[in-house]
Amino acid sequence: MAMLEIKDLCVNYGMIKALKGISFEVNEGEVIALIGANGAGKTTTLHTLTGILPAKSGSVRFNGVELTKTPAHKIVKMGIAHVPEGRRIFQQLTVLDNLKLGAFTRNDKDGIAEDMEMVYKRFPRLAERKSQIAGTLSGGEQQMLAMGRALMSRPKIIVMDEPSMGLSPILVSEIFDIITSIRKDGTTVLLVEQNAKKALSISDRAYVLETGKITLSGKASDLINDEQVKKAYLGE
Amino acid sequence: MKRKLRPTTRKSFVTYAIVTAAFIFVEILVSSGSASNMFKGLLVPFCVYSIAAVSLNLTVGILGELSLGQAGFMCIGAYSSAIFSCAVKDTITSPWVRFPIAMLLGGLVAAVFGILIGIPVLRLRGDYLAIVTLAFGEIIKNVLAALFIGSDSKGLHFSLTSQGDLGLEPDGKMIINGALGISGTPKDSTFEIGFVVLMLTLIVLYNFINSRTGRAVMSIRDNRIAAESIGLNITKYKLITFGLTAFLGGVAGSLFSHNLAVLQASKFDYNLSILILVFVVLGGIGSIRGSVIAAVVLTYLPEVLRSINNYRMLIYSIVLIVMMIFTSNATIRGFFAANLAKLKGIVSKDKTAVKEGN
């Protein structure tokens, strides 16, 4: 059984149909990429499965448990962490407070301290800026903080929304290296990206989303050579 | 072995110290007989408005939602505590027992109303809280101004039309007399009690803000979606904060009502809500210490400037606009920050010089 199973999911914004029945699955230990152009419904998909948006119909199952009727704060507790688009960090709080808040759903003090060490090890720059106000960090550091914060909930799966957005090429590579290392440590990753080339290069499988429907899917290594994908998303 | 205080803890202790120093200073003034009657009459209102302002700052500054109904909560607290005190003043004669219960009751009743309003409104995004609290304050004021309650040997009588409608027995007594309000509330409020309640309020607020819950509330203010993504129950934390604001507003109202011979609902109008919001904005949104200072200064000034009292609201609005420009303009803010830093530098240099001199 797949870890995360999405079936015939439909989501509306009022009259507008944002998702018109999409189905996909994520198995434990995989890195799955969801690629597509602006307005394809990638962020909508993530927001629905983390409970921020309500689903019109269809199902989202996580380890067999239905999520579409579960409130957002309970979904995090079940082991799904969300790195929202556009580095949504808590601007006026310190880096440390941001990370502490990431572990909000947990009560194990020792485990939290352990994970804090792990995050600082993974992102040494955050350790240097521990007591700095998060809004004063650079774009790349803010993205790292958002990722570190998500890891603090010790998730089984981490869903990331456009982690490379607005970052310099060097930082983009750094972020993708971190995603690979997160996966290596045993956390499943669902990645939404516009940077299709980079996303495909680090993921196992991928789905291509177009105006609310999945039009292509398969192994990332196959899709990267697919003529259609090349033309539409890789700019070749 | 001196333990270093965390910056947030230090900040709160500085505020406690300032308030305590001001209290001692005023006590000396009063006991030496150099305080005017006008000033003495303002002492309890200082505490009332400070408490109302710091508690509103919790919703406006920490939670980031606009509330325009703080006067409504004060009104509820004032009325419920005054009714309680009037009812029991013959059975519980000691004000030391009666008044704390009355304040607690006033706060609790206000908190219940706060939560009742909050449950539907705080689930929404946007400025709905401002709209609803604005209406709430006006409704409360008008309903209480039209309410007649009397008691006699047959029990309680209610009416929304007139005193005659109650049909009281000759031995009956009025509790709420419509627009004339409640009279005969025991004068339990003193400056000392007000100071203690203000200190308790400050301690509660600082501890709340620096707690795990406080961090959660601030994260909602900073970014709603991110707060949801880390697993926060947004509505719950908004309700806790708004409930606490309403509770403390009710306590402030209780302090207020026990300082007056006659309590009238018309005092708790829209202007009062705005006035308290002005304290919060002028003192700095999110700054507890600033709220207290602004509340005291802006309660005192109009009394001193009695002669231009007609222009009071005009001056308030101008000052408010100027403050808005100052706090939102990066250049001006930078200028002040730089000069403040310079000033601090001079002061600390002086200190080290003194130390070296020793």
Side-chain angles (χ1 to χ4, degrees), chain B residues 15 25 71 108 121 199 205 251 259 262 265 300 310 312 314 316 324 350:
Chain B
T15 308
F25 176 68
L108 285 176
V121 177
M199 281 301 276
L205 285 189
V251 170
N259 186 43
V262 182
Y300 188 53
N310 285 341
R312 200 178 71 176
L314 186 70
Y316 270 141
M324 289 291 196
D350 280 355

Side-chain angles (χ1 to χ4, degrees), chain A residues 42-51 82 159-161 190 192:
Chain A
K42 303 178 305 263
T43 299
T44 307
T45 309
L46 289 198
H47 280 192
T48 312
L49 60 93
T50 51
H82 178 197
V159 297
M160 296 192 200
D161 201 346
L190 174 60
V192 155

Side-chain angles (χ1 to χ4, degrees), chain A residues 76 90 93-109 112-113 115-117 119-120 126 130-131 145 148-154, chain B residues 6 8 209-213 215-216 219 230-232:
Chain A
V76 179
F90 304 125
L93 303 181
T94 62
V95 169
L96 184 66
D97 279 345
N98 267 272
L99 292 177
K100 272 188 191 163
L101 277 162
F104 195 81
T105 51
R106 296 169 59 186
N107 292 319
D108 53 325
K109 250 188 169 172
I112 292 173
D115 285 1
M116 191 81 80
E117 281 308 307
V119 168
Y120 282 151
L126 295 184
K130 227 187 261 189
S131 44
L145 180 57
R149 189 182 62 201
L151 286 172
M152 286 302 293
S153 67
R154 200 177 273 188
Chain B
R6 284 189 308 159
T8 45
I209 293 168
N210 295 327
S211 71
R212 185 177 123 97
T213 313
R215 265 203 307 276
S219 78
I230 57 165
L232 272 173

Side-chain angles (χ1 to χ4, degrees), chain B residues 15-262:
Chain B
T15 308
Y16 301 153
I18 291 176
V19 173
T20 312
F23 170 73
I24 294 170
F25 176 68
V26 168
E27 284 290 300
I28 291 171
L29 268 189
V30 170
S31 59
S32 68
S34 45
S36 67
N37 275 335
M38 182 269 281
F39 185 73
K40 279 189 221 160
L42 278 174
L43 293 178
V44 174
F46 282 161
C47 301
V48 170
Y49 293 130
S50 298
I51 296 169
V54 290
S55 60
L56 181 65
N57 207 341
L58 190 61
T59 288
V60 176
I62 307 300
L63 179 61
E65 294 266 353
L66 188 57
S67 164
L68 298 175
Q70 190 68 350
F73 295 118
M74 288 173 72
C75 187
I76 291 174
Y79 264 71
S80 45
S81 62
I83 292 171
F84 170 81
S85 290
C86 284
V88 302
K89 75 179 162 190
D90 298 326
T91 39
I92 309 176
T93 46
S94 161
W96 296 107
V97 180
R98 185 176 59 212
F99 195 35
I101 301 176
M103 280 193 282
L104 210 59
L105 182 80
L108 285 176
V109 176
V112 168
F113 273 88
I115 288 169
L116 282 179
I117 296 172
I119 288 172
V121 177
L122 290 173
R123 300 164 67 99
L124 305 170
R125 299 168 198 206
D127 298 328
Y128 295 100
L129 188 68
I131 300 164
V132 172
T133 47
L134 172 63
F136 162 78
E138 288 299 291
I139 292 170
I140 286 294
K141 184 195 82 183
N142 288 322
V143 167
L144 286 178
L147 186 66
F148 293 85
I149 298 180
S151 73
D152 59 16
S153 53
K154 283 184 186 155
L156 285 173
H157 298 257
F158 298 91
S159 167
L160 277 170
T161 45
S162 72
Q163 191 180 352
D165 242 27
L166 288 173
L168 279 184
E169 310 261 307
D171 65 322
K173 70 176 182 190
M174 291 301 294
I175 298 176
I176 303 180
N177 197 357
L180 295 175
I182 304 176
S183 46
T185 314
K187 262 197 103 182
D188 288 344
S189 282
T190 59
F191 180 50
E192 289 74 21
I193 292 177
F195 164 74
V196 170
V197 177
L198 175 59
M199 281 301 276
L200 286 176
T201 305
L202 291 175
I203 292 169
V204 166
L205 285 189
Y206 273 117
N207 281 302
F208 179 84
I209 293 168
N210 295 327
S211 71
R212 185 177 123 97
T213 313
R215 265 203 307 276
V217 173
M218 287 189 278
S219 78
I220 297 171
R221 169 196 69 190
D222 278 5
N223 202 311
R224 187 193 165 100
I225 289 192
E228 260 180 303
S229 82
I230 57 165
L232 272 173
N233 185 346
I234 303 235
T235 311
K236 180 178 137 192
Y237 285 99
K238 280 181 162 185
L239 265 181
I240 292 175
T241 316
F242 191 58
L244 188 55
T245 293
F247 176 83
L248 293 171
V251 170
S254 318
L255 209 55
F256 190 70
S257 66
H258 288 71
N259 186 43
L260 297 170
V262 182

